[in-house]
Amino acid sequence: MFENLKAQPADKILALMQAYREDPRDTKIDLGVGVYKNAEGVTPVMRAVKAAEQKIWEEQQSKSYVGLVGDPAYSDAMIKLILGDAVARENVGAAATPGGTGACRQAFELIQMASPEARVFVSNPTWPNHISILNYLGMETVPYRYFDSETRGVDFDGMIEDLKTAKAGDVVLLHGCCHNPTGANLNLVQWQEIVNLINAQNLVAMVDIAYQGFGDGLEEDAQAVRLVASSVKECLIAASCSKNFGVYRERTGLLMAVSNDSSQTALNQATLAFLNRQNYSFPPDHGARIVTTILNDDALRADWMAELEDVRVSMLGLRQQLADELQRLSGSDRFSFIAQHRGMFSRLGTTPELVEKLRAEHAIYMVGDSRMNIAGLNAQTVPILAKAIVDAGI
């Protein structure tokens, strides 16, 4: 049997990480991997996470299974964090998942189960694993224009034109905030136009929100997903706690199925439980319990929000520093988009050849499509990166 297996394409980001580790140059800079790093290059355990783990260690009496969809208290806390009061709780089915990736996978499986002929419209570009999972499941994907390589902003006219070709029942996959990999985001006026189009064409919205709190703030970053959930007939929301709680390895995610008809919720909830049972039975609990403990404890929540805000502001500061340094070195404001983007990533909009030149000549590692992780920088490496970008002719 095993001889029939075929080698799969290497994950480009994981391959980049390996190349970085093997590079002997002391001056190397890692802007490829998608995790937050502080100024010392460390992905820290947040203060509130440590305190919550201590509390759990002292109080938890069992490691038995919790339930097929996880602890209801986790779902309640996350739904409140993401949706606020935009949608009644009785209209939301929810299931804990192994990370945001698990939430996306379960959402795609639900779509395939409910509407096998549905096409999934994905932004060009999008997070590569969206495409990888959809292809693996044999689901048809349709790219829609999103990133304008000239302005490094959103090609909104192109996006609307492409989405108008969607048929009733097709799914539109949207990034809730901090678009990965570009960093370019829709404004609320544009979100409203997307919602209007979805309703007019009887489409299904799916929102992937993995960076709440990394863009303009916890509440601000949730505005778009709240608008969608409260305005459309039904939608799916895949959420991740990896970034905003820093619990990457705990694999902590949530999938929500939102319907404006509360009588649909019981079936949605049962379907989510069924899908969990087929894929991994019971979802991981430790990360979910950490998140629940933080969100339901006023002091821990306040400390978490303060540290998350520090993270957000530090990334905005690095963005502004890099844009300013590039303006100084190039004598041009063509890099001002870096300060306008939000989240961990920005896409430079350059060629794979120039990205390779940055790696070969300057030991700067970023993904081949020119996505760079702003959180991989610090105040000392920003000038180094800026000079390398200008010297490379970008």
Side-chain angles (χ1 to χ4, degrees):
M1 177 180 71
F2 292 156
E3 66 271 15
N4 295 322
L5 295 175
K6 297 178 180 178
Q8 300 301 313
D11 185 288
K12 293 180 180 179
I13 295 177
L14 296 180
L16 189 72
M17 290 169 59
Q18 182 64 30
Y20 174 81
R21 284 192 293 266
E22 294 174 353
D23 191 327
R25 290 174 286 184
D26 294 334
T27 56
K28 61 186 180 180
I29 300 174
D30 178 13
L31 305 179
V33 66
V35 299
Y36 171 77
K37 295 181 181 181
N38 61 19
E40 289 72 45
V42 175
T43 301
V45 180
M46 298 180 83
R47 296 186 300 267
V49 169
K50 278 187 172 290
E53 287 190 303
Q54 179 70 26
K55 187 175 183 180
I56 293 166
W57 182 79
E58 292 172 349
E59 298 177 0
Q60 192 172 55
Q61 298 299 314
S62 176
K63 290 291 186 181
S64 183
Y65 296 124
V66 175
L68 285 176
V69 295
D71 185 352
Y74 169 64
S75 293
D76 289 344
M78 284 294 291
I79 290 167
K80 186 68 174 177
L81 177 70
I82 296 168
L83 293 180
D85 298 322
V87 178
R89 177 65 181 88
E90 65 183 10
N91 292 72
V92 186
T97 61
T101 303
C104 288
R105 173 63 182 260
Q106 297 296 72
F108 296 151
E109 297 243 23
L110 186 150
I111 293 165
Q112 194 173 50
M113 176 189 292
S115 186
E117 302 304 315
R119 301 176 298 168
V120 181
F121 280 66
V122 295
S123 65
N124 182 19
T126 190
W127 180 49
N129 220 20
H130 285 152
I131 305 295
S132 180
I133 297 171
L134 287 163
N135 286 345
Y136 179 76
L137 293 172
M139 300 175 69
E140 183 178 355
T141 60
V142 182
Y144 61 81
R145 279 170 283 178
Y146 186 84
F147 185 67
D148 187 325
S149 59
E150 293 297 320
T151 66
R152 274 76 160 185
V154 177
D155 178 5
F156 189 66
D157 290 341
M159 179 180 182
I160 290 294
E161 186 177 338
D162 290 344
L163 290 181
K164 283 182 177 179
T165 67
K167 302 173 184 176
D170 283 342
V171 177
V172 181
L173 176 53
L174 300 156
H175 296 230
C177 64
C178 305
H179 186 272
N180 178 7
T182 69
N185 297 287
L186 300 167
N187 61 44
L188 278 179
V189 173
Q190 292 170 328
W191 273 103
Q192 183 62 63
E193 191 168 339
I194 296 294
V195 165
N196 294 343
L197 185 151
I198 287 170
N199 286 332
Q201 297 182 209
N202 198 25
L203 308 177
V204 177
M206 176 178 165
V207 181
D208 184 356
I209 182 164
Y211 300 93
Q212 185 182 357
F214 268 37
D216 291 309
L218 267 176
E219 291 297 303
E220 292 83 352
D221 289 348
Q223 286 182 325
V225 69
R226 291 174 184 177
L227 174 64
V228 172
S230 62
S231 304
V232 300
K233 178 182 177 183
E234 57 189 20
C235 68
L236 293 164
I237 302 167
S240 170
C241 299
S242 294
K243 279 77 178 177
N244 54 7
F245 287 88
V247 289
Y248 296 89
R249 67 178 60 172
E250 305 298 350
R251 311 312 299 133
T252 309
L254 187 78
L255 174 61
M256 290 173 260
V258 184
S259 173
N260 64 5
D261 178 4
S262 60
S263 68
Q264 183 67 41
T265 303
L267 178 57
N268 292 348
Q269 188 66 53
T271 301
L272 294 176
F274 172 81
L275 287 171
N276 271 15
R277 183 61 166 167
Q278 307 318 302
N279 276 342
Y280 41 76
S281 284
F282 301 93
D285 179 69
H286 187 66
R289 196 154 298 275
I290 291 168
V291 169
T292 307
T293 301
I294 292 170
L295 293 178
N296 289 334
D297 182 293
D298 289 344
L300 291 180
R301 185 186 181 111
D303 190 37
W304 166 68
M305 289 175 65
E307 188 167 1
L308 178 60
E309 181 66 4
D310 288 343
V311 167
R312 185 185 77 85
V313 170
S314 73
M315 287 190 290
L316 289 179
L318 289 168
R319 286 186 173 281
Q320 190 63 58
Q321 183 189 357
L322 180 57
D324 290 346
E325 185 67 9
L326 284 165
Q327 197 280 333
R328 185 184 72 82
L329 293 175
S330 68
S332 165
D333 62 359
R334 69 179 185 274
F335 295 104
S336 61
F337 66 88
I338 293 172
Q340 296 162 6
H341 286 174
R342 289 294 181 268
M344 285 205 305
F345 305 116
S346 272
R347 194 178 192 183
L348 279 176
T350 191
T351 65
E353 290 76 19
L354 289 178
V355 170
E356 173 58 23
K357 186 175 183 180
L358 286 174
R359 186 203 64 80
E361 298 182 7
H362 302 279
I364 292 171
Y365 285 76
M366 65 179 68
V367 182
D369 64 3
S370 73
R371 184 197 83 169
M372 59 179 179
N373 181 4
I374 296 295
L377 294 166
N378 59 44
Q380 288 69 48
T381 56
V382 163
I384 298 171
L385 172 63
K387 185 176 186 304
I389 288 173
V390 173
D391 288 350
I394 295 175

